[in-house]
Amino acid sequence: YDVVILCHNESLRRSTLDLMDKFTGRTIVLGQIPRYCEYREEIDFGYSERYTDVNALVHALSGERFADIEADGIIGCKRAGKDGDVYLFCNGGDAERTMRAGLLKGAFALDMSCGAAYPLDTDTVTLYPRGSLAVFTGSGKTLNEWGIAVKELPVLSADGVRFSEGICGEITAPAMAAENENALVIDRADFTSGDVVLKDVPLAAIWHYRFYKLPEGTPFTISYKFFVEEIPDGAVELVIENAENADSITLNGKPVQCMRKRGEEQRSDNKSYKDLSFTRCRADSLRAGENEVVIRAKKINNIVEVCTHRHVTEKEHFPTEAEIMYVIGHFSVKRRGDRYVITKDDSPVSGNVAEGGYPFYSGALSCEFMHIFNGEQLLLEADCVYACLYVDGKKYVSGGDPLVFDTREIQGEKRVKLTLYNSLYALLGPHHVKGYDDLPWVDPGVFNDLSKYDNGYLVRPFGLKKIIPINRSEKR
């Protein structure tokens, strides 16, 4: 390293001090000067410069460069090695940025998404928002010794780099079918326990504000309502957290059978849904029109505050919950005014399926189509977390931006299966937070903050827009 920065260190390890004694570069201290070695002995620490304000330090270092690059908003790091140096460049912004660097031409781009290396024949690349480029300055022989495949430079990498302009076509996006059960989220309920009577309130107003404050063993009743326009074909199930520990559950006044028994080990199997404690229950008494689920139980729970639990000392502890309920099955969920209702399944679906019957769907969408490959990459315009492509028994995976598959090795007409995957946000939310996109992170406190509660549903798009074959505009 040329520069070492110590930030507000009061004490350093002996091993660190030994390294610093050998260091001949620039030593900068931000804030406190180190005074101790392992808090045992006082030291007289030597340094080149000291700053008390981080902005002054940033200004002082703004002219430092570890590589001769031309790019605004690109950050990077360098790792020196005996077989060649490795650089990592990253675009942390929300817009594409072009970078020019003399070290690129003649080096190798390392594709971190697929483990391949590409000889670089250009000194200029474009990084997508949050895209990254790893560069190795060593030889192709070294890469071969390391078992890294060296391939011709593509137009795009799934790491978020555009190496050149390409010739683009378009495949008509086929309709897609849901591979998993759809879900309706029921996140409002009536809650009664002793003198506490709440009518049609968000579950967020019940969890920590009412339910967890009840003394252990306190009886409570919680009821959920949802509307069915058309009875779906096939089985419909209720998903209720720790349902097996309730005293009784009814649907439209008739007993509901849980698929697990009280005390049965919770496993990720066909008795659960998405989470170990999300228990499936049969909904045999479903009817067209308004439906009501009523849970009667005793409050048993070791949660005492947000992210705070008491130790369980009981030999038998069967927790209950006042939580969001889900209705799952092969049906569509359509918006009707200010609520969502269940209708018959109308898949396959095209475009944004969140607006086409699957607003809370956290599963997969798939389609099949024929395509004549001619050494191109396939680029998707889609809203999803990641995607998989299956051709000739081989699986290709891509996530992030761009959603691109390196299918240049495939030739001829092939049947292709494409699968898109969504995240659990679609199911679990939070769905009612004002200013959600401006939050630096989401933790349990966000779900419980009623000051940010919005009655409207925050639903993210999910689906396929375009499939684009892309070739390099010229062979270089």
Side-chain angles (χ1 to χ4, degrees):
Y1 299 97
D2 301 313
V3 181
V4 170
I5 303 170
L6 299 171
C7 302
H8 306 288
N9 295 98
E10 184 177 26
S11 178
L12 297 176
R13 290 180 179 178
R14 169 56 61 190
S15 57
T16 303
L17 285 168
D18 290 343
L19 286 172
M20 294 302 298
D21 286 341
K22 300 174 185 177
F23 181 62
T24 58
R26 185 178 172 192
T27 302
I28 298 176
V29 170
L30 174 63
Q32 182 170 306
I33 302 169
R35 297 174 53 202
Y36 301 100
C37 173
E38 299 182 354
Y39 284 107
R40 292 192 179 97
E41 59 180 288
E42 291 192 21
I43 59 173
D44 183 14
F45 186 78
Y47 55 91
S48 309
E49 304 155 58
R50 182 190 177 203
Y51 296 87
T52 57
D53 178 70
V54 68
N55 292 314
L57 172 60
V58 171
H59 180 73
L61 294 175
S62 61
E64 293 289 328
R65 294 286 186 272
F66 65 83
D68 182 18
I69 64 172
E70 298 176 27
D72 292 326
I74 302 291
I75 61 173
C77 64
K78 173 186 175 182
R79 294 292 182 268
K82 63 182 180 66
D83 296 308
D85 298 335
V86 176
Y87 295 82
L88 179 65
F89 302 100
C90 181
N91 175 11
D94 294 324
E96 289 187 3
R97 298 186 187 277
T98 298
M99 182 182 82
R100 182 189 301 273
L103 66 89
L104 297 181
K105 200 161 188 176
F108 292 87
L110 303 178
D111 192 326
M112 310 302 282
S113 296
C114 69
Y118 311 125
L120 284 164
D121 56 5
T122 177
D123 62 359
T124 303
V125 297
T126 298
L127 270 65
Y128 280 64
R130 293 164 295 282
S132 62
L133 170 65
V135 177
F136 176 60
T137 62
S139 68
K141 180 181 177 182
T142 299
L143 292 171
N144 288 331
E145 290 173 352
W146 290 346
I148 297 174
V150 177
K151 300 181 179 181
E152 183 183 356
L153 189 70
V155 174
L156 300 172
S157 86
D159 292 341
V161 186
R162 185 167 70 245
F163 296 106
S164 65
E165 296 302 320
I167 300 173
C168 300
E170 184 173 341
I171 301 172
T172 301
M176 306 199 80
E179 290 200 348
N180 311 101
E181 296 151 308
N182 202 1
L184 173 66
V185 174
I186 315 295
D187 54 12
R188 300 184 72 90
D190 298 343
F191 181 81
T192 304
S193 181
D195 296 335
V196 177
V197 179
L198 303 174
K199 294 292 186 182
D200 190 31
V201 297
L203 266 298
I206 300 175
W207 298 321
H208 285 278
Y209 297 101
R210 299 290 186 176
F211 179 74
Y212 295 132
K213 296 182 183 298
L214 295 176
E216 292 292 273
T218 302
F220 70 92
T221 300
I222 186 166
S223 65
Y224 309 81
K225 294 183 176 67
F226 62 96
F227 195 86
V228 175
E229 279 190 348
E230 302 171 286
I231 297 292
D233 298 325
V236 174
E237 295 171 350
L238 310 177
V239 176
I240 300 169
E241 190 162 353
N242 294 319
E244 63 272 22
N245 297 331
D247 294 332
S248 71
I249 303 176
T250 60
L251 171 60
N252 300 324
K254 297 180 180 180
V256 166
Q257 182 182 351
C258 297
M259 295 190 186
R260 269 197 293 243
K261 297 178 181 179
R262 181 180 298 193
E264 183 178 343
E265 183 180 358
Q266 292 182 336
R267 298 173 177 270
S268 180
D269 55 20
N270 59 6
K271 298 179 182 179
S272 68
Y273 177 75
K274 303 296 184 182
D275 185 279
L276 294 176
S277 62
F278 286 12
T279 302
R280 293 172 180 258
C281 306
R282 294 189 174 89
D284 297 331
S285 51
L286 190 73
R287 67 190 181 197
E290 199 79 61
N291 288 258
E292 182 178 27
V293 176
V294 178
I295 300 173
R296 291 181 173 85
K298 297 177 182 66
K299 184 264 182 179
I300 304 293
N301 207 291
N302 67 325
I303 298 176
V304 293
E305 293 291 344
V306 178
C307 289
T308 305
H309 301 69
R310 68 169 175 85
H311 290 293
V312 175
T313 58
E314 303 93 323
K315 289 185 178 179
E316 291 187 335
H317 180 73
F318 304 124
T320 54
E321 287 286 356
E323 264 283 8
I324 291 172
M325 188 187 78
Y326 309 93
V327 185
I328 63 171
H330 293 285
F331 49 69
S332 286
V333 176
K334 297 296 179 65
R335 185 106 187 206
R336 299 290 185 257
D338 60 353
R339 68 174 175 176
Y340 286 94
V341 304
I342 292 174
T343 68
K344 281 194 174 183
D345 188 15
D346 55 4
S347 61
V349 288
S350 299
N352 177 14
V353 303
E355 293 181 349
Y358 292 81
F360 309 113
Y361 181 62
S362 61
L365 297 171
S366 65
C367 64
E368 293 190 12
F369 58 93
M370 300 299 295
H371 177 62
I372 301 175
F373 287 88
N374 187 28
E376 70 267 38
Q377 295 177 273
L378 287 186
L379 172 67
L380 303 185
E381 285 188 14
D383 293 301
C384 63
V385 175
Y386 73 100
C388 293
L389 197 73
Y390 302 86
V391 186
D392 279 350
K394 186 173 180 179
K395 179 181 179 180
Y396 301 81
V397 181
S398 184
D401 187 11
L403 281 165
V404 64
F405 302 97
D406 190 355
T407 53
R408 291 175 296 166
E409 63 193 35
I410 305 174
Q411 295 288 333
E413 186 174 20
K414 304 289 183 182
R415 176 169 292 278
V416 180
K417 180 180 179 181
L418 174 65
T419 305
L420 307 184
Y421 294 89
N422 207 1
S423 78
L424 279 170
Y425 171 84
L427 182 77
L428 302 180
H431 296 122
H432 301 280
V433 178
K434 287 181 288 191
Y436 177 86
D437 290 328
D438 296 326
L439 295 174
W441 65 78
V442 174
D443 61 14
V446 171
F447 286 78
N448 295 285
D449 188 351
L450 294 179
S451 69
K452 292 185 172 67
Y453 188 87
D454 189 325
N455 283 327
Y457 283 88
L458 181 58
V459 174
R460 298 296 194 196
F462 177 40
L464 177 64
K465 301 173 186 174
K466 293 181 182 178
I467 305 173
I468 302 170
I470 183 167
N471 280 288
R472 292 189 70 167
S473 57
E474 58 183 32
K475 299 289 184 181
R476 290 189 276 178

